[in-house]
Amino acid sequence: MFARELPELPFHVWPDIDDPQKVRYLAAWQPPENLSEVFPNLEVLFSVGAGVDQLNIATIPQSIRIVRMMEPGLAEGMMEYVLWAVLSYHRKMFHYAQQQGQHVWQGGANISARAFRVGVMGMGALGTPVLEKLAQFGYACNGWSRSRHNILGIKSYAGPEELDAFLASTDILICLMPLTDATRGILNRELFAKLPKGSCLINCGRGGHLVQDDLLWAFDNGQLSQAVLDVTDPEPLPKEHPFWDHPSIILTPHVASSSRVESGGEMILKNITQYERGFEMTGEISRSLGY
Ligand code: NDP
Ligand code: OXD
């Protein structure tokens, strides 16, 4: 793709990088810690994922711009995953899968999607299309983020002062925030206690958002009835970890979404072109906010 679209820009795949002094752009998940020693003339670091929490931003020289992945394939995958999890909870599919294991045939009522209030923490490149998709399916949708967002049909809550009101009107809580100093451990006992009793948690953000013991507390106290965790800390969890066999936890191995090769490559190409023309790049992070 690079050879076709930007033939004047030599493209190398690690570790076959030719002269590291000539490297101006790097696309990576976890680049080497001593980035500026390895690539002294690096100008832009592209994270191949949406998140940048895998980078040690403080050690990356200020002169290097950091750009995360924002591409339609990531959003599409996330919409599919969250829709699957919300529909499965609403239509009791996790419960029926357990029943099948016990050879039990016992149906339940047909409850409207409108009866479920879905709250998405993080109304960004992924949270917004997820909210829009869920609203199409009839769920009552709310979002919470640092700043207010105007999305048709979605109630937007903003900042710490509106978090309690958001939680009080959420039956299914979805975490789609970046992991930063401000959000680490945000899914904790205090937060769970503010949700209606028996709520469901879907964590597609990062394992570091969740305080694991507090999740077990929330089940023991009936505060939560179900969790779907696509991310854990560490990944994978140790074999003896209680989450593996917990009847109310569904674990998936960090597969909610990922960057797609074609559309992700196109995004990096487009950003390099923008950068070389002196324009803004899509997905450049704020170093002070950490996302
Ligand atoms: P964005 O940066 O586009 O959106 C982040 C959202 O979180 C924004 O709405 C932002 O608010 C909000 N936010 C950030 N900090 C806070 C805070 N302290 N309080 C309240 N809201 C906050 O990110 P993406 O949507 O692209 O991705 C989100 C995350 O999803 C990634 O960082 C990654 O961790 C995770 N992810 C997981 C995947 C998986 O497979 N499980 C795949 C891809 C991503 P505001 O709008 O006001 O800035
Ligand atoms: C990402 C991820 O951040 O896959 O893109 O988790």
Side-chain angles (χ1 to χ4, degrees), residues 49-53 68-70 74 78 81 121-129 144-149 158-160 175-183 186 203-206 209 230-231 235 254-259 289 291:
V52 289
D53 53 286
R68 64 192 201 81
M69 185 54 77
M70 274 176 81
L74 256 171
M78 192 56 80
Y81 181 95
M121 301 176 87
M123 301 176 77
L126 301 179
T128 297
W144 180 72
S145 47
R146 225 169 35 82
S147 56
R148 196 168 313 284
H149 291 247
C175 177
L176 265 174
M177 284 192 298
L179 184 65
T180 65
D181 291 344
T183 64
I186 193 167
N203 188 13
C204 293
R206 288 288 184 257
H209 285 127
D230 183 54
V231 285
E235 290 181 0
H254 200 141
V255 291
S257 192
S258 55
S259 305
L289 292 174
Y291 74 97

Short mmCIF file of all heavy atoms in Angstrom, two decimals, residues 49-53 68-70 74 78 81 121-129 144-149 158-160 175-183 186 203-206 209 230-231 235 254-259 289 291, ligand 1:
data_model
loop_
_atom_site.label_atom_id
_atom_site.label_comp_id
_atom_site.label_asym_id
_atom_site.label_seq_id
_atom_site.Cartn_x
_atom_site.Cartn_y
_atom_site.Cartn_z
N GLY A 49 -2.74 0.81 17.62
CA GLY A 49 -4.03 0.61 18.29
C GLY A 49 -4.64 1.95 18.67
O GLY A 49 -3.99 3.00 18.60
N ALA A 50 -5.92 1.87 19.13
CA ALA A 50 -6.62 3.09 19.56
C ALA A 50 -6.01 3.63 20.84
O ALA A 50 -5.96 4.83 21.08
CB ALA A 50 -8.09 2.79 19.77
N GLY A 51 -5.54 2.73 21.70
CA GLY A 51 -5.01 3.14 22.99
C GLY A 51 -3.55 3.53 22.89
O GLY A 51 -2.83 3.10 21.97
N VAL A 52 -3.11 4.36 23.85
CA VAL A 52 -1.68 4.70 23.93
C VAL A 52 -1.14 4.40 25.32
O VAL A 52 -0.02 4.80 25.66
CB VAL A 52 -1.41 6.18 23.56
CG1 VAL A 52 -1.59 6.43 22.07
CG2 VAL A 52 -2.27 7.13 24.39
N ASP A 53 -1.92 3.69 26.14
CA ASP A 53 -1.50 3.40 27.51
C ASP A 53 -0.31 2.44 27.55
O ASP A 53 0.36 2.33 28.57
CB ASP A 53 -2.67 2.84 28.32
CG ASP A 53 -3.32 1.65 27.63
OD1 ASP A 53 -4.03 1.87 26.63
OD2 ASP A 53 -3.06 0.50 28.05
N ARG A 68 -2.64 8.21 17.71
CA ARG A 68 -3.25 6.90 17.95
C ARG A 68 -4.08 6.50 16.74
O ARG A 68 -4.32 7.33 15.85
CB ARG A 68 -4.11 6.96 19.21
CG ARG A 68 -5.27 7.88 19.05
CD ARG A 68 -5.97 8.18 20.34
NE ARG A 68 -7.32 8.65 20.04
CZ ARG A 68 -8.31 7.86 19.77
NH1 ARG A 68 -8.15 6.55 19.78
NH2 ARG A 68 -9.50 8.34 19.48
N MET A 69 -4.54 5.27 16.73
CA MET A 69 -5.29 4.77 15.57
C MET A 69 -6.76 5.14 15.68
O MET A 69 -7.41 4.85 16.68
CB MET A 69 -5.14 3.24 15.49
CG MET A 69 -5.76 2.63 14.25
SD MET A 69 -5.22 3.35 12.70
CE MET A 69 -3.61 2.60 12.51
N MET A 70 -7.25 5.82 14.68
CA MET A 70 -8.69 6.12 14.56
C MET A 70 -9.07 5.72 13.15
O MET A 70 -8.70 6.41 12.21
CB MET A 70 -8.93 7.61 14.74
CG MET A 70 -9.08 8.04 16.17
SD MET A 70 -9.25 9.83 16.26
CE MET A 70 -10.97 10.05 15.88
N LEU A 74 -11.97 -0.25 13.32
CA LEU A 74 -11.95 -0.39 14.78
C LEU A 74 -13.35 -0.14 15.36
O LEU A 74 -13.82 -0.87 16.23
CB LEU A 74 -11.00 0.64 15.37
CG LEU A 74 -9.64 0.21 15.86
CD1 LEU A 74 -8.79 1.42 16.19
CD2 LEU A 74 -9.74 -0.70 17.07
N MET A 78 -15.96 -2.77 17.29
CA MET A 78 -16.42 -2.48 18.65
C MET A 78 -17.95 -2.45 18.70
O MET A 78 -18.56 -2.94 19.66
CB MET A 78 -15.83 -1.16 19.13
CG MET A 78 -16.02 -0.90 20.60
SD MET A 78 -15.36 -2.22 21.67
CE MET A 78 -13.61 -1.86 21.68
N TYR A 81 -19.15 -6.04 18.83
CA TYR A 81 -18.89 -6.72 20.10
C TYR A 81 -19.86 -6.22 21.18
O TYR A 81 -20.47 -7.03 21.90
CB TYR A 81 -17.44 -6.47 20.55
CG TYR A 81 -17.10 -7.15 21.86
CD1 TYR A 81 -16.49 -8.41 21.87
CD2 TYR A 81 -17.39 -6.56 23.08
CE1 TYR A 81 -16.19 -9.04 23.07
CE2 TYR A 81 -17.09 -7.18 24.28
CZ TYR A 81 -16.48 -8.42 24.27
OH TYR A 81 -16.19 -9.05 25.47
N MET A 121 -19.36 4.87 29.18
CA MET A 121 -18.33 5.78 29.71
C MET A 121 -17.28 5.96 28.63
O MET A 121 -16.60 4.99 28.25
CB MET A 121 -17.66 5.16 30.95
CG MET A 121 -18.62 4.87 32.07
SD MET A 121 -17.77 4.03 33.43
CE MET A 121 -17.18 5.44 34.35
N GLY A 122 -17.17 7.18 28.11
CA GLY A 122 -16.27 7.43 26.99
C GLY A 122 -17.08 7.60 25.72
O GLY A 122 -17.63 6.63 25.20
N MET A 123 -17.21 8.87 25.26
CA MET A 123 -18.02 9.13 24.06
C MET A 123 -17.09 9.57 22.93
O MET A 123 -17.28 10.60 22.30
CB MET A 123 -19.05 10.23 24.36
CG MET A 123 -19.99 9.87 25.48
SD MET A 123 -21.13 11.22 25.89
CE MET A 123 -22.32 11.11 24.56
N GLY A 124 -16.07 8.74 22.70
CA GLY A 124 -15.07 9.10 21.71
C GLY A 124 -15.29 8.38 20.39
O GLY A 124 -16.43 8.06 20.00
N ALA A 125 -14.19 8.09 19.70
CA ALA A 125 -14.24 7.48 18.37
C ALA A 125 -14.95 6.12 18.41
O ALA A 125 -15.52 5.70 17.42
CB ALA A 125 -12.83 7.31 17.84
N LEU A 126 -14.91 5.44 19.57
CA LEU A 126 -15.57 4.14 19.68
C LEU A 126 -16.90 4.26 20.42
O LEU A 126 -17.91 3.68 20.00
CB LEU A 126 -14.65 3.15 20.39
CG LEU A 126 -13.30 2.93 19.69
CD1 LEU A 126 -12.43 1.96 20.46
CD2 LEU A 126 -13.51 2.43 18.27
N GLY A 127 -16.91 5.01 21.53
CA GLY A 127 -18.13 5.12 22.34
C GLY A 127 -19.29 5.72 21.56
O GLY A 127 -20.44 5.28 21.70
N THR A 128 -19.00 6.71 20.72
CA THR A 128 -20.09 7.39 19.99
C THR A 128 -20.80 6.45 19.00
O THR A 128 -22.02 6.31 19.06
CB THR A 128 -19.56 8.66 19.29
OG1 THR A 128 -19.11 9.54 20.33
CG2 THR A 128 -20.62 9.35 18.47
N PRO A 129 -20.07 5.77 18.10
CA PRO A 129 -20.79 4.86 17.20
C PRO A 129 -21.48 3.71 17.94
O PRO A 129 -22.53 3.23 17.51
CB PRO A 129 -19.71 4.34 16.24
CG PRO A 129 -18.40 4.72 16.83
CD PRO A 129 -18.64 5.87 17.73
N TRP A 144 -21.24 9.25 29.09
CA TRP A 144 -20.51 10.09 30.05
C TRP A 144 -19.09 10.30 29.53
O TRP A 144 -18.45 9.33 29.08
CB TRP A 144 -20.46 9.41 31.43
CG TRP A 144 -19.73 10.23 32.47
CD1 TRP A 144 -20.17 11.37 33.06
CD2 TRP A 144 -18.43 9.96 33.02
NE1 TRP A 144 -19.23 11.83 33.94
CE2 TRP A 144 -18.15 11.00 33.95
CE3 TRP A 144 -17.48 8.96 32.82
CZ2 TRP A 144 -16.96 11.05 34.67
CZ3 TRP A 144 -16.28 9.01 33.53
CH2 TRP A 144 -16.03 10.04 34.46
N SER A 145 -18.63 11.53 29.59
CA SER A 145 -17.27 11.82 29.12
C SER A 145 -16.76 13.06 29.85
O SER A 145 -17.46 13.62 30.68
CB SER A 145 -17.27 12.04 27.60
OG SER A 145 -18.31 12.90 27.25
N ARG A 146 -15.55 13.45 29.53
CA ARG A 146 -14.96 14.61 30.19
C ARG A 146 -15.71 15.87 29.76
O ARG A 146 -16.09 16.69 30.56
CB ARG A 146 -13.48 14.71 29.81
CG ARG A 146 -12.53 15.00 30.95
CD ARG A 146 -11.11 14.80 30.50
NE ARG A 146 -10.91 15.19 29.12
CZ ARG A 146 -10.72 16.43 28.70
NH1 ARG A 146 -10.68 17.43 29.55
NH2 ARG A 146 -10.55 16.68 27.42
N SER A 147 -15.95 15.98 28.43
CA SER A 147 -16.67 17.16 27.93
C SER A 147 -18.04 16.71 27.39
O SER A 147 -18.25 15.53 27.16
CB SER A 147 -15.86 17.79 26.80
OG SER A 147 -15.61 16.83 25.79
N ARG A 148 -18.94 17.69 27.22
CA ARG A 148 -20.29 17.33 26.75
C ARG A 148 -20.29 17.09 25.23
O ARG A 148 -19.58 17.76 24.49
CB ARG A 148 -21.28 18.43 27.12
CG ARG A 148 -22.71 17.96 27.02
CD ARG A 148 -23.72 18.89 27.63
NE ARG A 148 -23.39 19.37 28.96
CZ ARG A 148 -23.49 18.66 30.09
NH1 ARG A 148 -23.91 17.43 30.05
NH2 ARG A 148 -23.17 19.20 31.25
N HIS A 149 -21.11 16.11 24.84
CA HIS A 149 -21.24 15.79 23.41
C HIS A 149 -22.70 15.90 23.00
O HIS A 149 -23.57 15.44 23.74
CB HIS A 149 -20.76 14.36 23.14
CG HIS A 149 -19.28 14.18 23.32
ND1 HIS A 149 -18.43 13.91 22.29
CD2 HIS A 149 -18.49 14.26 24.42
CE1 HIS A 149 -17.18 13.81 22.73
NE2 HIS A 149 -17.20 14.02 24.03
N ALA A 158 -21.46 14.98 31.64
CA ALA A 158 -20.05 15.38 31.53
C ALA A 158 -19.42 15.64 32.88
O ALA A 158 -20.03 16.25 33.76
CB ALA A 158 -19.95 16.63 30.66
N GLY A 159 -18.20 15.14 33.01
CA GLY A 159 -17.37 15.49 34.17
C GLY A 159 -17.77 14.78 35.45
O GLY A 159 -18.85 14.19 35.56
N PRO A 160 -16.89 14.84 36.45
CA PRO A 160 -17.11 14.13 37.71
C PRO A 160 -18.42 14.55 38.40
O PRO A 160 -19.09 13.72 39.01
CB PRO A 160 -15.91 14.54 38.58
CG PRO A 160 -14.90 15.11 37.64
CD PRO A 160 -15.60 15.55 36.40
N CYS A 175 -17.66 0.34 29.58
CA CYS A 175 -16.47 1.19 29.72
C CYS A 175 -15.72 1.22 28.40
O CYS A 175 -15.25 0.18 27.92
CB CYS A 175 -15.57 0.68 30.84
SG CYS A 175 -14.04 1.64 30.97
N LEU A 176 -15.64 2.39 27.82
CA LEU A 176 -14.88 2.59 26.57
C LEU A 176 -14.02 3.84 26.70
O LEU A 176 -14.04 4.72 25.84
CB LEU A 176 -15.84 2.71 25.38
CG LEU A 176 -16.10 1.40 24.64
CD1 LEU A 176 -17.16 1.54 23.59
CD2 LEU A 176 -14.81 0.86 24.02
N MET A 177 -13.31 3.89 27.82
CA MET A 177 -12.43 5.04 28.07
C MET A 177 -10.98 4.65 27.86
O MET A 177 -10.63 3.47 27.95
CB MET A 177 -12.61 5.51 29.51
CG MET A 177 -13.89 6.28 29.72
SD MET A 177 -13.90 7.09 31.31
CE MET A 177 -13.80 5.70 32.36
N PRO A 178 -10.13 5.63 27.65
CA PRO A 178 -8.69 5.32 27.63
C PRO A 178 -8.20 5.13 29.07
O PRO A 178 -8.79 5.69 30.00
CB PRO A 178 -8.07 6.57 27.02
CG PRO A 178 -9.06 7.67 27.28
CD PRO A 178 -10.41 7.06 27.40
N LEU A 179 -7.14 4.37 29.23
CA LEU A 179 -6.56 4.20 30.57
C LEU A 179 -5.56 5.33 30.80
O LEU A 179 -4.54 5.42 30.11
CB LEU A 179 -5.87 2.84 30.68
CG LEU A 179 -5.31 2.51 32.06
CD1 LEU A 179 -6.42 2.39 33.09
CD2 LEU A 179 -4.50 1.22 32.02
N THR A 180 -5.88 6.20 31.75
CA THR A 180 -5.00 7.33 32.08
C THR A 180 -4.92 7.43 33.60
O THR A 180 -5.62 6.68 34.31
CB THR A 180 -5.59 8.66 31.54
OG1 THR A 180 -6.82 8.92 32.24
CG2 THR A 180 -5.85 8.63 30.06
N ASP A 181 -4.13 8.36 34.09
CA ASP A 181 -4.06 8.56 35.55
C ASP A 181 -5.44 8.88 36.11
O ASP A 181 -5.76 8.54 37.25
CB ASP A 181 -3.08 9.69 35.89
CG ASP A 181 -1.65 9.28 35.57
OD1 ASP A 181 -1.41 8.07 35.39
OD2 ASP A 181 -0.79 10.18 35.49
N ALA A 182 -6.28 9.55 35.30
CA ALA A 182 -7.60 9.96 35.79
C ALA A 182 -8.62 8.82 35.77
O ALA A 182 -9.64 8.90 36.46
CB ALA A 182 -8.11 11.13 34.95
N THR A 183 -8.37 7.78 34.98
CA THR A 183 -9.40 6.74 34.85
C THR A 183 -8.97 5.38 35.44
O THR A 183 -9.79 4.47 35.53
CB THR A 183 -9.79 6.51 33.36
OG1 THR A 183 -8.63 6.02 32.65
CG2 THR A 183 -10.27 7.79 32.70
N ILE A 186 -11.24 3.24 37.98
CA ILE A 186 -12.52 3.97 38.09
C ILE A 186 -13.70 3.00 38.30
O ILE A 186 -14.71 3.37 38.90
CB ILE A 186 -12.74 4.87 36.83
CG1 ILE A 186 -13.88 5.85 37.08
CG2 ILE A 186 -12.97 4.06 35.58
CD1 ILE A 186 -13.95 6.97 36.05
N ASN A 203 -16.76 -4.34 30.16
CA ASN A 203 -15.51 -3.56 30.10
C ASN A 203 -14.73 -3.88 28.84
O ASN A 203 -14.18 -4.96 28.68
CB ASN A 203 -14.63 -3.82 31.34
CG ASN A 203 -13.44 -2.86 31.36
OD1 ASN A 203 -13.41 -1.88 30.61
ND2 ASN A 203 -12.46 -3.13 32.21
N CYS A 204 -14.72 -2.89 27.94
CA CYS A 204 -13.95 -3.01 26.69
C CYS A 204 -12.81 -2.01 26.69
O CYS A 204 -12.17 -1.80 25.66
CB CYS A 204 -14.84 -2.71 25.49
SG CYS A 204 -16.10 -3.92 25.26
N GLY A 205 -12.58 -1.32 27.82
CA GLY A 205 -11.52 -0.32 27.88
C GLY A 205 -10.18 -1.00 28.11
O GLY A 205 -9.56 -1.51 27.17
N ARG A 206 -9.77 -1.03 29.37
CA ARG A 206 -8.54 -1.70 29.74
C ARG A 206 -8.75 -2.39 31.09
O ARG A 206 -9.56 -1.92 31.92
CB ARG A 206 -7.38 -0.70 29.88
CG ARG A 206 -6.88 -0.15 28.57
CD ARG A 206 -6.09 -1.18 27.77
NE ARG A 206 -5.53 -0.62 26.54
CZ ARG A 206 -6.05 -0.82 25.33
NH1 ARG A 206 -7.12 -1.57 25.17
NH2 ARG A 206 -5.46 -0.30 24.26
N HIS A 209 -8.81 -0.36 34.36
CA HIS A 209 -9.96 0.44 34.81
C HIS A 209 -10.67 -0.23 35.98
O HIS A 209 -11.35 0.42 36.76
CB HIS A 209 -10.97 0.59 33.66
CG HIS A 209 -10.54 1.57 32.61
ND1 HIS A 209 -10.49 1.25 31.27
CD2 HIS A 209 -10.13 2.86 32.70
CE1 HIS A 209 -10.09 2.30 30.59
NE2 HIS A 209 -9.85 3.28 31.43
N ASP A 230 -13.64 -7.95 28.36
CA ASP A 230 -12.80 -8.25 27.21
C ASP A 230 -11.34 -7.96 27.53
O ASP A 230 -10.45 -8.37 26.78
CB ASP A 230 -13.23 -7.39 26.00
CG ASP A 230 -12.43 -7.71 24.76
OD1 ASP A 230 -12.39 -8.91 24.39
OD2 ASP A 230 -11.82 -6.80 24.17
N VAL A 231 -11.13 -7.23 28.61
CA VAL A 231 -9.77 -6.80 28.98
C VAL A 231 -9.55 -7.10 30.46
O VAL A 231 -10.49 -7.01 31.26
CB VAL A 231 -9.59 -5.29 28.70
CG1 VAL A 231 -9.44 -5.02 27.22
CG2 VAL A 231 -10.75 -4.48 29.27
N GLU A 235 -3.06 -9.61 31.19
CA GLU A 235 -3.66 -10.43 30.14
C GLU A 235 -2.65 -11.47 29.71
O GLU A 235 -1.54 -11.08 29.31
CB GLU A 235 -4.06 -9.56 28.93
CG GLU A 235 -5.23 -8.66 29.26
CD GLU A 235 -5.67 -7.78 28.08
OE1 GLU A 235 -5.08 -7.88 26.99
OE2 GLU A 235 -6.62 -7.01 28.26
N HIS A 254 -9.48 -10.11 24.81
CA HIS A 254 -9.14 -8.82 24.18
C HIS A 254 -9.36 -8.88 22.67
O HIS A 254 -8.43 -8.67 21.88
CB HIS A 254 -7.69 -8.43 24.51
CG HIS A 254 -7.43 -6.96 24.34
ND1 HIS A 254 -6.64 -6.22 25.18
CD2 HIS A 254 -7.86 -6.06 23.40
CE1 HIS A 254 -6.58 -4.96 24.77
NE2 HIS A 254 -7.32 -4.84 23.70
N VAL A 255 -10.60 -9.19 22.33
CA VAL A 255 -10.94 -9.33 20.91
C VAL A 255 -12.08 -8.42 20.49
O VAL A 255 -12.62 -8.56 19.39
CB VAL A 255 -11.35 -10.79 20.58
CG1 VAL A 255 -10.17 -11.72 20.68
CG2 VAL A 255 -12.48 -11.27 21.51
N ALA A 256 -12.48 -7.50 21.39
CA ALA A 256 -13.65 -6.67 21.06
C ALA A 256 -13.46 -6.02 19.70
O ALA A 256 -14.35 -6.03 18.86
CB ALA A 256 -13.88 -5.62 22.14
N SER A 257 -12.26 -5.48 19.49
CA SER A 257 -11.97 -4.93 18.17
C SER A 257 -10.46 -4.83 18.00
O SER A 257 -9.70 -5.01 18.96
CB SER A 257 -12.61 -3.56 17.99
OG SER A 257 -12.55 -3.19 16.63
N SER A 258 -10.03 -4.54 16.81
CA SER A 258 -8.61 -4.28 16.55
C SER A 258 -8.52 -3.53 15.23
O SER A 258 -9.46 -3.55 14.43
CB SER A 258 -7.80 -5.58 16.51
OG SER A 258 -8.35 -6.45 15.58
N SER A 259 -7.38 -2.89 15.03
CA SER A 259 -7.21 -2.13 13.79
C SER A 259 -7.19 -3.09 12.61
O SER A 259 -6.58 -4.15 12.67
CB SER A 259 -5.88 -1.37 13.83
OG SER A 259 -5.81 -0.58 14.98
N LEU A 289 -3.26 15.15 28.72
CA LEU A 289 -4.42 14.33 29.09
C LEU A 289 -4.09 12.84 29.05
O LEU A 289 -4.76 12.03 29.68
CB LEU A 289 -5.60 14.62 28.15
CG LEU A 289 -6.23 16.01 28.26
CD1 LEU A 289 -7.27 16.20 27.17
CD2 LEU A 289 -6.85 16.22 29.64
N TYR A 291 -4.36 10.89 26.38
CA TYR A 291 -5.16 10.18 25.37
C TYR A 291 -5.45 11.08 24.19
O TYR A 291 -5.27 12.28 24.28
CB TYR A 291 -6.45 9.63 25.96
CG TYR A 291 -7.54 10.65 26.25
CD1 TYR A 291 -8.58 10.88 25.34
CD2 TYR A 291 -7.51 11.41 27.42
CE1 TYR A 291 -9.57 11.80 25.60
CE2 TYR A 291 -8.51 12.34 27.67
CZ TYR A 291 -9.52 12.54 26.79
OH TYR A 291 -10.51 13.46 27.04
P1 NDP B 1 -11.19 8.43 22.32
O1 NDP B 1 -9.98 9.16 22.77
O2 NDP B 1 -11.74 8.75 20.97
O3 NDP B 1 -12.36 8.62 23.37
C1 NDP B 1 -12.14 8.60 24.74
C2 NDP B 1 -13.38 9.06 25.47
O4 NDP B 1 -13.16 8.91 26.88
C3 NDP B 1 -13.70 10.55 25.22
O5 NDP B 1 -15.08 10.73 25.08
C4 NDP B 1 -13.17 11.22 26.49
O6 NDP B 1 -13.85 12.42 26.85
C5 NDP B 1 -13.45 10.14 27.53
N1 NDP B 1 -12.61 10.35 28.70
C6 NDP B 1 -11.25 10.32 28.77
N2 NDP B 1 -10.84 10.59 30.02
C7 NDP B 1 -11.95 10.79 30.76
C8 NDP B 1 -12.18 11.12 32.10
N3 NDP B 1 -11.17 11.29 32.97
N4 NDP B 1 -13.45 11.26 32.52
C9 NDP B 1 -14.48 11.10 31.65
N5 NDP B 1 -14.33 10.79 30.35
C10 NDP B 1 -13.08 10.64 29.91
O7 NDP B 1 -10.84 6.88 22.43
P2 NDP B 1 -11.47 5.66 21.61
O8 NDP B 1 -12.95 5.77 21.67
O9 NDP B 1 -10.86 5.54 20.28
O10 NDP B 1 -10.94 4.41 22.46
C11 NDP B 1 -11.24 4.27 23.82
C12 NDP B 1 -10.46 3.14 24.44
O11 NDP B 1 -11.00 1.88 24.05
C13 NDP B 1 -9.00 3.01 24.05
O12 NDP B 1 -8.20 3.96 24.73
C14 NDP B 1 -8.68 1.59 24.46
O13 NDP B 1 -8.30 1.56 25.82
C15 NDP B 1 -10.03 0.88 24.30
N6 NDP B 1 -10.00 -0.07 23.18
C16 NDP B 1 -10.23 -1.40 23.46
C17 NDP B 1 -10.27 -2.32 22.45
C18 NDP B 1 -10.58 -3.74 22.73
O14 NDP B 1 -10.49 -4.58 21.83
N7 NDP B 1 -11.00 -4.07 23.94
C19 NDP B 1 -10.03 -1.93 21.04
C20 NDP B 1 -9.80 -0.53 20.87
C21 NDP B 1 -9.79 0.36 21.91
P3 NDP B 1 -13.86 13.71 25.86
O15 NDP B 1 -14.72 13.32 24.71
O16 NDP B 1 -14.48 14.76 26.68
O17 NDP B 1 -12.42 13.94 25.48
#
